[in-house]
Amino acid sequence: MKFQGTSEYVATPELQMAVNASITLQRPLLLKGEPGTGKTMLAEQLAESLGTELIQWHIKSTTKAHQGLYEYDAVSRLRDSQLGNDKVHDIKNYIVKGKLWEAFDADKPVVLLIDEIDKADIEFPNDLLLELDKMEFYCYETQQRIVAKHRPIILITSNNEKELPDAFLRRCFFHYIDFPSKETMMKIVDVHYPNIQASLVKEAMEVFFDVRKVPGLKKKPSTSELIDWLKLLMADEIGVDLLRDTDRTKAIPPMAGALVKNEQDVMLLEKLAFMSRRRG
């Protein structure tokens, strides 16, 4: 199984190497990078390219590791016992399988995405060490040892909100997705909008990377935001001439709400425009 990207996902040679190395080593692939650089989409496209199922476990601040294994629905069992339901005698009826159990139970290797692991409690990664290493866990309620039929291909994403434990990092293959170069970005845009006007893309790309270079910007626009911005430019038929206007006294580019996502950055761009007017 070799991943080389897909018609809908442009994967750099370095990213292809990381994915294939992870598969060869049978270790989880830990992906970091700016939000919007395609970490989650990679899992979707990897599953599609391998012709297998994608199981997604989206992590929240309240997520606990055991929820990925299973949960025991004691409330439903108590209610059924009060109603005299016969299924109350089999505890298996009240075991809700988690995403890891689903992946372990699959009849062929699946892609398991553990998305934004850094959102959870600091102990969350450590609580999964044995399960991710040995590919098994014990269900105490049913007294079963659950062993993976096939080792899933595991992708774990992180936005660097908090540091991950060394013991967890030691069990992963790590790759940082660099922000795409202009050449790679051109290929990404071409995947999404194959018939877009080349001159519009060229000028939009100049504006986009200029905005990213602004010192002090709290949130730099990402790949996904560029795609959204181009869609708006095409929908409103924004001309190349408007983008080509190099007047520094103008505050922000047209439809900039797709690129600039907080008031601090808007104020920063407006301040730079004001300073340019004063110098003029």
Side-chain angles (χ1 to χ4, degrees):
M1 295 186 293
K2 292 291 184 183
F3 177 69
Q4 297 179 322
T6 69
S7 60
E8 298 178 15
Y9 189 90
V10 177
T12 62
E14 294 79 13
L15 181 56
Q16 293 177 36
M17 179 277 296
V19 172
N20 293 320
S22 170
I23 295 173
T24 301
L25 293 173
Q26 295 188 327
R27 290 188 178 275
L29 174 59
L30 175 60
L31 291 168
K32 291 187 179 183
E34 288 185 33
T37 49
K39 300 187 292 296
T40 302
M41 189 178 180
L42 171 62
E44 299 169 0
Q45 295 302 313
L46 176 59
E48 183 176 324
S49 69
L50 299 178
T52 191
E53 181 185 358
L54 171 65
I55 296 177
Q56 302 186 58
W57 186 14
H58 298 289
I59 307 303
K60 301 177 182 178
S61 59
T62 55
T63 304
K64 301 299 180 185
H66 70 83
Q67 293 173 318
L69 308 179
Y70 68 92
E71 291 187 90
Y72 169 48
D73 191 354
V75 175
S76 293
R77 193 181 190 196
L78 175 61
R79 184 180 63 246
D80 287 345
S81 67
Q82 293 170 339
L83 296 173
N85 195 321
D86 285 339
K87 76 175 190 177
V88 74
H89 301 295
D90 188 353
I91 198 170
K92 290 182 180 179
N93 292 322
Y94 305 95
I95 299 297
V96 181
K97 294 181 181 180
K99 299 300 183 181
L100 261 72
W101 193 333
E102 288 181 27
F104 288 3
D105 239 7
D107 292 326
K108 65 177 183 178
V110 300
V111 175
L112 172 63
L113 171 65
I114 304 177
D115 200 22
E116 298 188 331
I117 194 171
D118 53 323
K119 281 187 175 179
D121 184 83
I122 188 63
E123 290 303 319
F124 180 91
N126 281 335
D127 291 342
L128 288 176
L129 289 181
L130 178 64
E131 289 77 14
L132 294 180
D133 203 20
K134 301 296 184 182
M135 288 289 132
E136 63 179 52
F137 64 90
Y138 192 75
C139 179
Y140 293 95
E141 285 78 7
T142 62
Q143 298 183 355
Q144 289 176 277
R145 184 169 298 280
I146 310 301
V147 181
K149 295 179 183 178
H150 303 278
R151 179 179 285 268
I153 300 167
I154 301 174
L155 271 65
I156 303 172
T157 70
S158 170
N159 287 326
N160 259 347
E161 290 186 14
K162 61 172 68 79
E163 289 295 322
L164 299 173
D166 288 346
F168 179 79
L169 295 174
R170 200 161 56 241
R171 288 165 170 81
C172 299
F173 188 92
F174 172 76
H175 181 72
Y176 185 89
I177 300 181
D178 289 318
F179 195 81
S181 64
K182 286 186 179 181
E183 293 74 17
T184 303
M185 193 69 84
M186 287 284 192
K187 295 177 183 177
I188 294 172
V189 170
D190 188 54
V191 165
H192 289 271
Y193 308 120
N195 299 317
I196 193 172
Q197 185 182 353
S199 57
L200 176 64
V201 176
K202 182 176 181 298
E203 295 302 328
M205 206 77 75
E206 293 295 329
V207 174
F208 173 77
F209 279 97
D210 281 347
V211 171
R212 282 185 57 86
K213 291 176 186 175
V214 172
L217 208 62
K218 185 175 181 180
K219 184 195 177 304
K220 296 180 180 181
S222 67
T223 306
S224 60
E225 287 156 341
L226 171 63
I227 299 302
D228 288 345
W229 187 48
L230 286 171
K231 184 176 181 179
L232 289 174
L233 294 180
M234 290 187 293
D236 277 39
E237 299 181 349
I238 301 296
V240 175
D241 291 340
L242 184 58
L243 293 178
R244 193 175 287 158
D245 189 349
T246 57
D247 185 356
R248 294 177 178 270
T249 65
K250 293 183 178 178
I252 50 179
M255 299 292 179
L259 299 177
V260 185
K261 297 298 180 72
N262 60 66
E263 64 276 13
Q264 294 98 318
D265 289 344
V266 171
M267 291 172 65
L268 174 62
L269 293 177
E270 289 175 343
K271 181 180 178 181
L272 292 175
F274 173 76
M275 292 171 65
S276 294
R277 286 195 294 269
R278 290 290 299 272
R279 292 194 196 100

